[in-house]
């Protein structure tokens, strides 16, 4: 990977990843409007679909079968991650999702013939250490194996496979991937809601003004951040994409500390340093290696 050529993509994905840490904002607006559980993920994807359809129409449709599958899996990952915290402990959901760097690294080793080096070990170690520091080790394993745990784990795996398919796919573009990703996310939320019965009662009682506000924020949020993330997925190797996405944890911690008055101290600072160090190790250790399918 040539750093000069990829620096723009890295910068855009880092900004998007940090802003993904504000994912709680559109979710909380949807909750205030009357949506709960899978309805939130379903609604956020559906309200953004018209924008994606227009973008695909203007930007053209160019999606191979591999790219379609990759985009569907990314949509599945985003929705499962959004819903996982409703079914399990939030910190546990984050940790289980962020096995994703390990999945992406294994995919590159098996699929793209990447070699396991000491830098791979160091990056993974720093990443997991950072997550543990930010959680302050306050991880309850009571009831481990609940539905939400599996959703979080499946979300990370779906993300890793999805970005690998997009990166290695042919005849694909961002606007097409954007539309398919939203369809995958809406479909995943619909299936989960039907299985757990939360959609069986029909539409929840919603408040119109709050719903419109949540819809506008959701469209802007997903439109910009998901579009930027997918743009990066076509240009950056899967493991790099996944490590960069972990900056989302820092965005979430900082935003909750500033806006929600959550704690932010030496553990959070140490965790942030470790996560950023893991990103630097992953990116800089690949200066002379090109990972291509």
């Amino acid at each position: 990977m040539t750093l000069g050529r990829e620096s723009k993509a890295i910068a855009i994905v880092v900004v998007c990843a940090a802003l993904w840490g504000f994912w709680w904002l559109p979710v909380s607006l949807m909750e205030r409007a009357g949506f709960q559980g899978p309805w939130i993920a379903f609604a956020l994807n559906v309200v953004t679909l018209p924008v994606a359809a227009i973008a695909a129409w203007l930007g053209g449709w160019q999606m191979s079968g591999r790219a379609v599958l990759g985009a569907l899996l990314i949509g599945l990952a985003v929705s499962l991650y959004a819903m996982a915290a409703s079914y399990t402990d939030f910190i546990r959901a984050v940790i289980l999702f962020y096995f994703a760097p390990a999945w992406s690294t294994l995919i590159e080793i098996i699929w793209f013939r990447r070699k396991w080096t000491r830098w791979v070990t160091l990056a993974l170690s720093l990443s997991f250490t950072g997550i543990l520091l930010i959680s302050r080790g306050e991880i309850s394993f009571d009831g481990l194996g609940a539905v939400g745990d599996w959703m979080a784990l499946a979300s990370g795996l779906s993300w890793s496979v999805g970005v690998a398919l997009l990166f290695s796919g042919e005849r694909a573009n961002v606007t097409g991937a954007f539309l398919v990703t939203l369809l995958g996310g809406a479909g995943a939320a619909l299936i989960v809601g039907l299985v757990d019965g939360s959609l069986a009662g029909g539409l929840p009682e919603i408040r119109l003004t709050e719903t419109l506000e949540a819809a506008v924020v959701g469209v802007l949020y997903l439109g910009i951040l998901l579009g930027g993330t997918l743009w990066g997925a076509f240009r950056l190797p899967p493991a790099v994409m996944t490590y960069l996405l972990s900056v989302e944890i820092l965005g979430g911690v900082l935003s909750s500390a500033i806006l929600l008055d959550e704690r932010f101290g030496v553990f959070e600072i140490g965790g942030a340093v470790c996560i950023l160090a893991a990103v630097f190790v992953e990116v800089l250790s690949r200066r002379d290696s090109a990972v291509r399918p």
Side-chain angles (χ1 to χ4, degrees):
M1 183 178 68
T2 304
L3 286 181
R5 187 183 62 189
E6 307 292 354
S7 58
K8 180 180 178 180
I10 290 172
I12 289 175
V13 173
V14 166
V15 172
C16 288
L19 293 176
W20 274 115
F22 289 79
W23 176 247
W24 55 267
L25 177 58
V27 169
S28 64
L29 289 175
M30 281 290 178
E31 288 177 339
R32 194 172 70 182
F35 294 88
Q36 296 294 328
W39 276 115
I40 295 174
F42 181 75
L44 285 172
N45 281 284
V46 168
V47 297
T48 315
L49 274 174
V51 175
I54 293 171
W57 179 63
L58 293 175
W61 172 269
Q62 190 177 13
M63 293 289 286
S64 65
R66 178 181 289 186
V68 167
L69 179 57
L72 286 173
L73 286 173
I74 291 175
L76 172 66
V78 173
S79 280
L80 285 179
Y81 185 49
M83 293 184 289
S86 299
Y87 294 84
T88 190
D89 178 72
F90 175 73
I91 291 297
R92 208 156 67 193
V94 170
I95 290 175
L96 288 170
F97 174 83
Y98 278 102
F99 272 99
W103 301 136
S104 292
T105 300
L106 288 174
I107 287 171
E108 287 192 358
I109 289 170
I110 295 170
W111 192 356
F112 298 152
R113 303 282 193 262
R114 181 184 181 184
K115 293 181 179 179
W116 188 285
T117 67
R118 65 183 183 276
W119 301 113
V120 171
T121 303
L122 178 59
L124 286 173
S125 300
L126 286 168
S127 179
F128 288 128
T129 300
I131 295 170
L132 288 173
L133 283 173
I134 285 177
S135 69
R136 299 192 175 208
E138 297 175 1
I139 307 164
S140 172
F141 291 99
D142 295 337
L144 186 64
V147 172
D149 296 337
W150 288 109
M151 289 171 69
L153 194 63
S155 176
L157 183 57
S158 295
W159 163 267
S160 297
V161 176
V163 294
L165 288 170
L166 280 190
F167 179 69
S168 62
E170 299 176 352
R171 302 187 310 280
N173 61 358
V174 175
T175 53
F178 184 36
L179 178 60
V180 175
T181 298
L182 291 173
L183 289 171
L190 183 62
I191 291 171
V192 171
L194 290 173
V195 170
D196 75 359
S198 58
L199 301 187
L203 281 169
E205 293 185 10
I206 58 177
R207 291 175 283 278
L208 182 59
T209 302
E210 288 82 354
T211 299
L212 290 174
E213 179 185 0
V216 170
V217 173
V219 169
L220 290 173
Y221 191 88
L222 277 179
I224 296 172
L225 298 192
L226 186 56
T229 303
L230 291 170
W231 183 84
F234 281 102
R235 291 163 174 79
L236 298 172
V240 171
M241 272 297 299
T242 306
Y243 274 98
L244 292 174
L245 188 69
S246 64
V247 175
E248 178 258 342
I249 301 174
L250 309 185
V253 170
L254 288 172
S255 65
S256 61
I258 295 171
L259 300 176
L260 303 178
D261 200 27
E262 297 285 345
R263 62 188 181 184
F264 187 83
V266 64
F267 284 96
E268 287 74 21
I269 294 172
V273 170
C274 285
I275 288 173
L276 291 175
V279 173
F280 279 113
V281 168
E282 174 64 20
V283 173
L284 294 177
S285 67
R286 303 171 69 133
R287 286 175 298 179
D288 302 318
S289 63
V291 174
R292 291 288 171 188

